[in-house]
Amino acid sequence: MQLKKTMITITEKTLQDLQFPTILETVSAWCHTDIGKQKALEIIPFKEKAVLMDALLQTSEYLSSFQNNNAIPNHGFEAISNELKFLAIEDSFLEVGSFRKIAAISETANTLLLFLRKFEEYYPKLQEKAASLELTKSIIQMVDDVVDKYGEIKDNASPDLLNIRRSMNSVRGKVNQSFGVALTQYNGLGYLDEIKESFVQNRRVLAVLAMYRRKVKGSILGSSKTGSIAYIEPEATLNYSRELSNLEYEEKEEIMRILKQLTNAIRPFLPLLIQYQEFLSDIDVIAAKAKYANTINGILPTITEERNLFFKDAFHPILFLNNKQKNEVTYPQTFEFHHEKRIIVISGPNAGGKTISLKTVGLLQLMLQAGLLIPVHERSETFLFDRILTDIGDNQSIENHLSTYSYRLKNMNYFLKKCNKKTLFLIDEFGTGSDPELGGALAEIFLEEFYHREAFGIITTHYSNLKILANELPFAVNANMLFDEKSLEPIYKLVIGQAGSSFTFEVAQKNGIPYGLINRAKKKIEVGKVRFDKTIATLQKERSKMEKTSQTLKEEESKAREESKKMETINSKIKLKLESYQELYDSNQRLIYIGQKVDDISEKYFNNNNKKELLGEFLKMVEIENSKRKKATAKESISKAIQKKEIIKEVSVQVDIIRTEKKEKKLKASTVVEKPKPILKVGDRVRMYDGKAIGSIDKIEKNKAVVNYGIFTSTVTLEALEFVESKK
């Protein structure tokens, strides 16, 4: 979708009315550079939607960097504005320290450009802003070749400079050596003061006592304040000092030549350096806007082409930060405008928050159209207005000798000229400043005119006729600020759909005005107006009670939900336990059944030694289990199959063990003389020769006995049973 151009008109008065400069001062304080601070103070609403959307998205992207792992690198810099001016002058050259600043800003810009290219996916709009800038290391390399990190010219900046500095070091050595000889000589003669030596004109001198100054050969460069000491450079050192001075002059000339050469090399990059400084200062402002948004919980709401404005849970940013410092609560407001709800008329007593509500809408819309994120709910949306018109506060014009009412009429005339369907107007205390009836009638006409032009707006008023008009116009609504019905303290919550009472007499009574005086005042005004205001006041009190009841019900509903969630959690845990117990019980029952079957099959095999029948019985048992297994899930089937295989394997092993033991017993029986077996009777406690479990005989038929083990019974031949004890 191609973005349309939006030519917005905002007067300086509107900016002041909505305290927009205060917002800019706060944003400016977050900037790190002086250029950035100045740019932040000069922010105004954008005239083109495309540029505005870029600014908003750039700030939103920077804000997101506070939460992700790809933090934007440091982009602070020292301004090079003076250096840029000198570079623009032909044949001028920069000082050494200036080159270090140029290299630093180039390195910072290059680091940021590389970062944004690497993380374009995270910061597409910031990368788009940086895409036009050239990435080059040439400036940094040229400066590094000449200037060291301490801001001094390197010895190898040129061959001539290297030779000069080598000669200077050699001469300095000779100066020190010759001075040392003279110092030792004259100190031995007692010509020197206690301090022995000093520095004058950056040259090393002997501190000679005044009485011996003629005996020391050299050049007198000065004396002490009292005249007791003469500072003399020894004759032997003097020649070397002159040579050193000449070399220092040559060094200075060579450095000047190098600086001119480097300046000429850097000069072609002047446009790029200007771009670097402009880019980094812009990023400084974007970062400041993001940091400010972070402190006020600012976001980017949806920007629509439709004429809809919906600010959910909106905070006045200045009030929010002030209350945050005082640890006080700030109450959010919700505002909605669309084609069928264009004008809101807020009424009610003073100090209830009407003006703050009106300013909140205007300031947030203004901030958004100036590229700042705003403190609203994420489901909020708005469109862009061409004009925002305000009439807030005491507008008495002393300069033009206009009364408040005259000034307001002049302002209304401006509104009538500019107001259209893309206008947001905000008028505080609409109609005041003149006779209530006459002023109210004129205000009513103005409101009708704004309404017919389909403008969006909020007005605050005490005039009953404006409340009635808002009730009659289909696309206008009344609203009021909630008050506590007992204490008459404001709750700072905007309620749409009902006009507010001014609580004139109630507030007067609360502030100690005698009841008799209040009654006299009531008699002096129309009965209908009193009844109307009283009815509104009663309705407001009822609404306040309903708000409290609704809040209580919400809290109780919330508690009930929490209790329900707890019960559901407990219930699910109990179900899981029951299911696990049932599974364990079923598993145990199945294993007992299999055990019984295996025992029966084993007994048959022991008696008839028929392998074919044994395998048949096992296969039959496995097939029965497999038919059950088909009903289970695929996962359970695999698990059960593994368990069955293990059972069959274990059973096979047990059968082999039983066979082996039976054969061994038969062999033993053939070699060992058998003891006479006791005659088994019903009720005797017995066990199998190859087992450990003890049971009691329930029944004997022919050569078989039914043995009861408590959990299960088993039919066993009498020969396989061992007598334990008789029936008690």
Side-chain angles (χ1 to χ4, degrees):
M1 183 180 70
Q2 191 171 1
L3 295 168
K4 298 176 183 177
K5 288 189 176 182
T6 302
M7 298 303 290
I8 185 166
T9 304
I10 304 288
T11 64
E12 183 63 30
K13 177 185 173 302
T14 295
L15 298 177
Q16 294 294 336
D17 282 351
L18 296 174
Q19 296 176 277
F20 188 63
T22 304
I23 300 291
L24 298 186
E25 286 170 10
T26 310
V27 173
S28 177
W30 281 106
C31 292
H32 290 297
T33 65
D34 292 336
I35 298 175
K37 289 179 188 294
Q38 188 58 38
K39 279 188 175 183
L41 292 173
E42 294 169 358
I43 291 174
I44 57 171
F46 287 88
K47 292 186 179 294
E48 295 184 14
K49 185 175 180 181
V51 182
L52 168 62
M53 292 308 300
D54 284 347
L56 287 168
L57 291 169
Q58 286 162 8
T59 306
S60 187
E61 285 175 7
Y62 202 107
L63 180 63
S64 71
S65 73
F66 300 151
Q67 280 79 43
N68 64 39
N69 295 323
N70 304 308
I72 294 173
N74 174 48
H75 43 76
F77 66 95
E78 192 176 351
I80 56 169
S81 303
N82 290 330
E83 285 74 11
L84 296 176
K85 288 177 184 176
F86 274 102
L87 283 173
I89 301 170
E90 200 64 34
D91 294 331
S92 64
F93 68 93
L94 301 175
E95 296 296 329
V96 182
S98 296
F99 288 109
R100 258 303 30 114
K101 286 162 66 177
I102 288 171
I105 200 171
S106 300
E107 192 163 358
T108 302
N110 284 335
T111 302
L112 189 55
L113 292 175
L114 287 170
F115 173 85
L116 293 174
R117 285 185 187 180
K118 183 178 179 181
F119 295 103
E120 183 178 3
E121 187 178 347
Y122 289 91
Y123 310 111
K125 283 295 175 183
L126 288 172
Q127 164 56 19
E128 188 180 307
K129 183 177 180 64
S132 61
L133 270 70
E134 180 188 347
L135 183 68
T136 176
K137 297 287 183 181
S138 301
I139 298 171
I140 303 166
Q141 190 59 54
M142 283 190 289
V143 174
D144 284 346
D145 287 345
V146 174
V147 186
D148 63 19
K149 61 182 179 180
Y150 303 108
E152 299 291 337
I153 299 291
K154 291 181 177 179
D155 291 347
N156 59 353
S158 75
D160 288 345
L161 184 63
L162 182 61
N163 291 331
I164 290 168
R165 286 187 172 173
R166 281 177 179 170
S167 300
M168 286 172 67
N169 288 333
S170 174
V171 172
R172 281 196 188 99
K174 292 175 181 177
V175 167
N176 290 334
Q177 186 180 5
S178 61
F179 187 86
V181 171
L183 179 68
T184 304
Q185 177 187 351
Y186 292 119
N187 188 44
L189 295 171
Y191 294 168
L192 303 183
D193 186 65
E194 290 180 359
I195 63 171
K196 295 182 183 178
E197 63 175 292
S198 184
F199 277 89
V200 176
Q201 300 172 13
N202 203 29
R203 291 160 77 170
R204 199 175 175 190
V205 293
L206 296 171
V208 180
L209 293 169
M211 64 183 75
Y212 300 118
R213 66 178 181 276
R214 297 187 184 280
K215 295 187 176 183
V216 176
K217 293 180 180 180
S219 175
I220 299 176
L221 298 183
S223 62
S224 64
K225 290 180 181 179
T226 59
S228 60
I229 300 173
Y231 297 118
I232 300 173
E233 185 175 14
E235 188 178 35
T237 308
L238 195 57
N239 294 329
Y240 294 125
S241 294
R242 289 190 185 125
E243 187 178 350
L244 184 61
S245 295
N246 292 335
L247 289 170
E248 285 173 348
Y249 177 79
E250 289 178 18
E251 179 194 34
K252 187 178 177 181
E253 288 293 311
E254 181 60 19
I255 287 173
M256 191 181 294
R257 189 192 66 78
I258 292 168
L259 292 177
K260 284 181 179 179
Q261 187 178 12
L262 181 57
T263 303
N264 290 331
I266 296 289
R267 188 167 277 118
F269 293 97
L270 175 61
L272 181 61
L273 289 171
I274 293 171
Q275 288 178 343
Y276 279 170
Q277 179 161 277
E278 193 69 15
F279 171 68
L280 291 177
S281 58
D282 284 347
I283 295 295
D284 191 27
V285 175
I286 292 168
K289 291 195 290 186
K291 289 168 187 173
Y292 176 65
N294 200 37
T295 61
I296 61 170
N297 303 319
I299 64 156
L300 173 58
T302 304
I303 308 294
T304 69
E305 291 293 335
E306 303 296 325
R307 288 206 324 138
N308 294 326
L309 184 152
F310 176 55
F311 285 161
K312 179 179 170 63
D313 295 339
F315 289 91
H316 190 287
I318 300 171
L319 182 65
F320 177 78
L321 290 181
N322 287 342
N323 285 346
K324 194 175 180 181
Q325 287 180 344
K326 300 173 187 175
N327 290 323
E328 293 179 2
V329 179
T330 307
Y331 297 90
Q333 309 287 0
T334 296
F335 305 91
E336 185 174 13
F337 293 91
H338 47 75
H339 181 69
E340 296 184 354
K341 189 165 82 174
R342 301 196 294 266
I343 295 175
I344 298 175
V345 177
I346 306 176
S347 50
N350 293 329
K354 299 193 302 295
T355 305
I356 284 293
S357 295
L358 174 138
K359 283 185 173 181
T360 299
V361 176
L363 180 57
L364 294 187
Q365 186 68 33
L366 186 56
M367 285 172 62
L368 191 69
Q369 295 195 209
L372 295 163
L373 305 184
I374 58 175
V376 293
H377 191 277
E378 58 187 10
R379 288 205 298 271
S380 299
E381 66 174 26
T382 188
F383 74 106
L384 302 178
F385 292 94
D386 286 351
R387 292 182 181 87
I388 299 175
L389 305 174
T390 59
D391 187 354
I392 301 170
D394 182 8
N395 293 307
Q396 187 169 11
S397 177
I398 297 170
E399 297 86 0
N400 298 317
H401 306 288
L402 295 176
S403 68
T404 300
Y405 190 61
S406 297
Y407 187 89
R408 300 197 83 161
L409 286 176
K410 190 176 180 182
N411 217 23
M412 287 303 104
N413 187 37
Y414 178 76
F415 278 32
L416 291 170
K417 289 178 181 176
K418 301 293 183 182
C419 203
N420 59 31
K421 63 167 61 179
K422 284 200 170 183
T423 300
L424 174 67
F425 67 88
L426 306 163
I427 307 174
D428 192 28
E429 301 295 347
F430 195 27
T432 57
S434 180
D435 177 84
E437 290 187 9
L438 301 179
L442 195 55
E444 195 173 327
I445 297 302
F446 289 149
L447 183 57
E448 286 177 348
E449 189 64 26
F450 298 150
Y451 177 85
H452 292 309
R453 295 190 187 187
E454 298 185 12
F456 285 1
I458 300 177
I459 69 168
T460 69
T461 187
H462 290 287
Y463 284 5
S464 299
N465 64 316
L466 296 178
K467 301 177 192 178
I468 294 168
L469 179 62
N471 196 48
E472 291 173 347
L473 295 172
F475 304 144
V477 292
N478 275 300
N480 70 86
M481 305 302 297
L482 277 186
F483 268 70
D484 188 281
E485 74 277 6
K486 291 180 181 177
S487 65
L488 292 178
E489 292 295 328
I491 300 175
Y492 299 107
K493 186 168 185 181
L494 182 71
V495 178
I496 304 292
Q498 180 184 313
S501 165
S502 297
F503 287 103
T504 306
F505 298 125
E506 289 85 349
V507 172
Q509 190 174 343
K510 179 177 181 279
N511 285 283
I513 304 300
Y515 191 68
L517 294 179
I518 293 172
N519 273 339
R520 282 168 60 189
K522 285 181 179 179
K523 289 174 183 176
K524 286 186 177 291
I525 59 173
E526 296 174 19
V527 177
K529 191 174 284 187
V530 174
R531 288 177 64 193
F532 177 72
D533 196 72
K534 187 176 180 182
T535 303
I536 291 176
T538 304
L539 288 170
Q540 260 188 272
K541 289 177 181 179
E542 289 299 320
R543 183 179 286 275
S544 182
K545 285 179 183 177
M546 287 174 67
E547 283 284 331
K548 286 187 177 179
T549 305
S550 173
Q551 186 64 30
T552 305
L553 287 172
K554 281 181 183 177
E555 288 174 1
E556 288 177 359
E557 184 185 0
S558 178
K559 287 178 182 177
R561 281 179 184 168
E562 287 178 6
E563 290 297 325
S564 176
K565 283 181 182 178
K566 285 180 183 176
M567 293 301 294
E568 283 177 8
T569 305
I570 293 167
N571 191 30
S572 62
K573 285 181 180 177
I574 290 170
K575 278 185 179 179
L576 286 172
K577 283 189 177 180
L578 285 173
E579 286 173 4
S580 63
Y581 286 144
Q582 185 64 44
E583 287 176 5
L584 182 63
Y585 175 78
D586 292 344
S587 177
N588 287 338
Q589 288 297 109
R590 187 173 56 77
L591 290 173
I592 289 168
Y593 168 75
I594 292 171
Q596 287 177 344
K597 292 288 290 179
V598 168
D599 188 62
D600 290 344
I601 293 167
S602 176
E603 185 184 346
K604 280 184 183 180
Y605 179 72
F606 178 73
N607 290 330
N608 57 27
N609 211 13
N610 188 336
K611 264 188 188 179
K612 190 174 182 182
E613 187 179 344
L614 173 70
L615 291 172
E617 290 287 341
F618 270 122
L619 285 172
K620 184 178 178 183
M621 185 175 71
V622 169
E623 283 173 4
I624 291 168
E625 290 300 313
N626 280 342
S627 67
K628 294 177 183 175
R629 192 176 286 111
K630 285 177 183 177
K631 296 177 184 178
T633 61
K635 191 174 180 181
E636 289 172 346
S637 299
I638 293 167
S639 175
K640 287 179 181 178
I642 293 168
Q643 288 176 1
K644 287 293 179 187
K645 284 180 182 178
E646 289 176 354
I647 290 169
I648 293 169
K649 189 176 179 182
E650 287 178 10
V651 169
S652 300
V653 171
Q654 290 296 327
V655 169
D656 289 339
I657 291 169
I658 290 168
R659 280 185 62 194
T660 306
E661 288 179 350
K662 294 293 181 185
K663 285 180 180 179
E664 287 177 354
K665 282 184 180 180
K666 282 183 179 180
L667 287 171
K668 284 181 181 178
S670 62
T671 54
V672 180
V673 179
E674 290 185 3
K675 292 181 181 180
K677 288 185 178 180
I679 298 169
L680 300 175
K681 302 184 292 296
V682 173
D684 288 346
R685 291 176 64 74
V686 294
R687 69 176 163 217
M688 292 183 67
Y689 282 106
D690 56 348
K692 294 180 181 180
I694 297 173
S696 59
I697 298 173
D698 283 353
K699 188 166 61 172
I700 297 175
E701 290 182 357
K702 296 183 181 180
N703 66 333
K704 290 186 179 180
V706 177
V707 181
N708 188 344
Y709 289 98
I711 301 173
F712 62 93
T713 60
S714 178
T715 304
V716 188
T717 58
L718 292 170
E719 288 82 2
L721 293 174
E722 180 185 2
F723 176 80
V724 176
E725 62 180 1
S726 299
K727 178 182 178 183
K728 293 181 181 178

